[in-house]
Amino acid sequence: MRSDSSLLPSGSSDAETSAPRWRGVSRARLSGLDAFVLAVALAILAPLVALLFVAGQNGPDDALAHLVATVLPHYALTSVLLVLMVGVNVVLLGVGAGWMVAAYDFPGRRALQVALILPLAMPAFVLAYAYTDFLDTSGPVQGWLRDVTGWSIGDYWFPQVRSLPGAALFLSLALYPYVYMLARNAFAERSLTLAEAARSLGEPAARVWWRITWPMARPAVVAGVTLVAMETLADFGTVSFFAVDTFTAGIYRAWQGLGDRATAARLAVGLLVVVLCLVWMERRQRGRMAFHGRSARPAATRRLTGTAAWGATLACATPVVLGFVLPAGLLLRAAWSGQAELDPRIGAWALHTAGLSLLAVLVVVPLALGLAYAVRLTAHPLIRALAGAAGAGYAVPGLVLGVGLLAVVGGIDRLIHGVWGVGLVLGGTAVAVVYAYCVRFLAVAQQGLDASLKRISPSMDASARTLGAGPTEVLRRVHWPLLRPSLATAALLVFVDCLKELPATLVLRPFNYDTLAVVAYQFASDERLAEAAVPSLAIVAVGLLPVVILARSFRRH
């Protein structure tokens, strides 16, 4: 999940070009800072290096050749189609809603600009479970249709829920807030001066939007779509439940079904290359498309009346209803329908989920703050490159990360056992799951804090330096009060992302240490959708409070 504030289009700042130089800091402190950045970067990159090592091992001679000759082209085509379908949907939903709430005033606008973020609390696989039980052949919708018409199964056509378009639809409803938040901010900061100048030259409103407003928002929208594409390629729960053969499903099948870790690692490397290419293309287009045109006046909103006003309300309310309100109601209906008793282990599952997520937050946020502050203090290209590399884990799908991480923790455990004779330390423990969360979501916190630090003028550091304050004291007395809102936002984003992470948790969790996402997936895989409703609803309930806090902060911004 995740919105990345550093991906928003912005003007150049003096913080980017004149990072403070701490000439008076001792050489030992600089070496300690360098060592910190190096250690974090190595810890984050270790699973990726291990993945390459596993991929180079000898597996069954014909396993990879068999996959290439049979199912690999199908995996690739299905993954591409899924990404394209989700991309088109999130652009329509996110850009449309973002433009309407930023440019127009209509009934319910203030509430809807916050409510449009709520689907962040609803994982895509939870949406899939809720709608499948509702729309499937045995569900209430088709049952009502047969009762009304007298038809029997096979006498009518109904859209197939368990399909590639179905998976694309539910992924779109869960992921469009990424594009919406970035697009809304970009449109809210649009230049009124340029638009008015164009209108004064006789340009129609539609042409002004296409030639002036859209180019300034396009880098943010493309960044949001790139985030959605990475999340789509990383998804496992939805595509697995719908039997959609993407790369991720193929990796899991080769690993767990065929027992061929080397072939699974090779498929994972292929998927990782695709994701990294997406990241590279996004950064390249963001570097080329730099638009600076913020107006000194706040962005104006035009009041809509009549049919247009209520049409805008309906358009903005639709993704909220379909992506949050209706599935939450369906989960409540299934949970309280009496079809399944409340499992007494639900409290333990919720505690495991919240505990792992909280532990990850307590590790990730300080590490992210340290990396962002290290980038601010030094202009050394190696340190900056290592700090950037530490954020590479976000581009790694959870299942791909699990393949490499198992090799890392297995090697560490064997080393510890050989030296001290101690048993499992990382493998088979919650430490491995928290490690995966840290690798996966460090960039979520790091880039937001880095963007916040860049908004703090270097002159404040220089003033504190002239008064004899060192880097640590400046961070504590100057930066910390200014960074607290960003730290809270980073913590909330990491917490919500960890709540919803399924594949890494599924393969790395300790024995008999299930989380809400894992048990919901297991129940749904066994077609026990009524039982899956309770943990699915618990995921939404646990994640709703952070999302509401984030939404309120978003509205204030």
Side-chain angles (χ1 to χ4, degrees):
M1 176 266 262
R2 306 138 249 352
S3 69
D4 185 351
S5 60
S6 70
L7 298 177
L8 292 174
S10 61
S12 60
S13 68
D14 56 350
E16 297 178 359
T17 58
S18 58
R21 308 293 195 269
W22 298 93
R23 299 182 184 276
V25 178
S26 67
R27 186 178 184 84
R29 285 198 179 187
L30 284 177
S31 298
L33 186 64
D34 295 346
F36 169 79
V37 176
L38 177 62
V40 174
L42 290 178
I44 299 299
L45 296 176
L48 305 184
V49 175
L51 180 67
L52 296 175
F53 175 77
V54 174
Q57 293 179 341
N58 293 327
D61 295 335
D62 58 347
L64 184 60
H66 174 72
L67 289 175
V68 172
T70 55
V71 297
L72 190 59
H74 178 60
Y75 290 163
L77 178 61
T78 305
S79 299
V80 170
L81 290 176
L82 183 63
V83 169
L84 289 177
M85 294 168 71
V86 173
V88 171
N89 289 339
V90 298
V91 167
L92 293 176
L93 293 174
V95 175
W99 171 248
M100 280 188 281
V101 300
Y104 300 105
D105 188 13
F106 50 87
R109 172 181 172 270
R110 289 178 59 85
L112 284 171
Q113 70 176 345
V114 174
L116 281 161
I117 307 178
L118 292 181
L120 282 177
M122 188 75 67
F125 61 86
V126 171
L127 279 170
Y129 305 159
Y131 277 108
T132 297
D133 189 43
F134 186 58
L135 299 174
D136 219 356
T137 304
S138 59
V141 172
Q142 294 197 48
W144 171 83
L145 181 63
R146 291 192 295 269
D147 291 340
V148 170
T149 61
W151 292 335
S152 300
I153 297 176
D155 294 340
Y156 61 94
W157 177 86
F158 195 85
Q160 180 59 254
V161 182
R162 300 172 187 254
S163 62
L164 177 61
L169 174 62
F170 300 133
L171 284 166
S172 302
L173 289 174
L175 298 176
Y176 82 85
Y178 292 136
V179 177
Y180 161 71
M181 288 190 292
L182 293 170
R184 184 262 183 189
N185 284 347
F187 288 135
E189 296 173 350
R190 65 192 184 277
S191 173
L192 294 181
T193 304
L194 292 178
E196 290 174 353
R199 291 299 301 273
S200 67
L201 296 175
E203 293 286 353
R207 188 174 177 85
V208 171
W209 190 91
W210 183 253
R211 297 289 300 273
I212 303 296
T213 306
W214 169 244
M216 297 184 66
R218 187 169 54 184
V221 173
V222 173
V225 173
T226 303
L227 293 175
V228 169
M230 290 192 293
E231 291 291 341
T232 301
L233 289 172
D235 179 78
F236 173 73
T238 308
V239 297
S240 176
F241 181 61
F242 282 174
V244 176
D245 293 327
T246 61
F247 254 112
T248 306
I251 293 168
Y252 188 81
R253 192 172 297 130
W255 187 10
Q256 300 293 325
L258 303 178
D260 185 2
R261 193 173 66 166
T263 300
R266 290 165 188 164
L267 290 175
V269 170
L271 178 58
L272 180 60
V273 170
V274 173
V275 173
L276 292 178
C277 286
L278 283 174
V279 176
W280 176 79
M281 288 189 293
E282 185 277 323
R283 291 185 181 275
R284 185 176 176 85
Q285 68 85 29
R286 178 154 48 104
R288 290 200 306 264
M289 296 191 297
F291 299 94
H292 312 282
R294 291 186 181 178
S295 175
R297 290 179 293 164
T301 57
R302 184 163 67 91
R303 178 177 291 276
L304 300 177
T305 58
T307 304
W310 290 108
T313 301
L314 178 62
C316 290
T318 298
V320 178
V321 172
L322 296 180
F324 183 80
V325 177
L326 180 58
L330 294 174
L331 291 173
L332 284 170
R333 170 185 169 273
W336 294 101
S337 63
Q339 300 178 31
E341 296 181 358
L342 183 65
D343 196 303
R345 297 171 293 176
I346 187 69
W349 297 333
L351 185 62
H352 295 164
T353 304
L356 290 174
S357 301
L358 183 58
L359 283 174
V361 168
L362 294 177
V363 176
V364 166
V365 174
L367 291 180
L369 178 60
L371 289 174
Y373 198 53
V375 171
R376 182 178 180 86
L377 292 187
T378 181
H380 197 290
L382 178 60
I383 300 301
R384 288 177 171 265
L386 288 173
Y394 180 70
V396 184
L399 193 59
V400 174
L401 182 61
V403 178
L405 203 60
L406 278 179
V408 173
V409 299
I412 294 175
D413 283 344
R414 286 192 297 270
L415 177 63
I416 294 176
H417 179 73
V419 176
W420 291 289
V422 181
L424 293 178
V425 176
L426 295 179
T429 68
V431 177
V433 181
V434 175
Y435 185 7
Y437 291 168
C438 293
V439 174
R440 182 90 166 84
F441 302 121
L442 177 64
V444 175
Q446 178 191 352
Q447 299 207 27
L449 293 175
D450 182 65
S452 297
L453 279 172
K454 285 180 178 179
R455 290 195 292 268
I456 300 175
S457 172
S459 61
M460 300 182 70
D461 301 65
S463 299
R465 181 62 180 151
T466 59
L467 297 175
T472 303
E473 189 174 3
V474 171
L475 176 62
R476 180 176 62 86
R477 300 185 62 180
V478 178
H479 295 153
W480 178 262
L482 299 173
L483 288 175
R484 277 184 297 186
S486 297
L487 286 166
T489 300
L492 290 173
L493 287 172
V494 173
F495 187 81
V496 172
D497 280 335
C498 293
L499 284 178
K500 300 188 294 184
E501 175 60 35
L502 172 62
T505 312
L506 185 65
V507 300
L508 295 171
R509 74 193 192 284
F511 177 73
N512 202 28
Y513 194 88
D514 292 329
T515 64
L516 293 170
V518 169
V519 295
Y521 167 76
Q522 291 173 339
F523 282 142
S525 299
D526 295 337
E527 296 298 329
R528 299 162 63 185
L529 296 179
E531 289 89 340
V534 178
S536 298
L537 194 61
I539 295 174
V540 178
V542 175
L544 185 58
L545 179 60
V547 171
V548 169
I549 296 173
L550 179 64
R552 294 186 64 182
S553 173
F554 176 74
R555 184 174 66 179
R556 288 195 300 268
H557 172 72

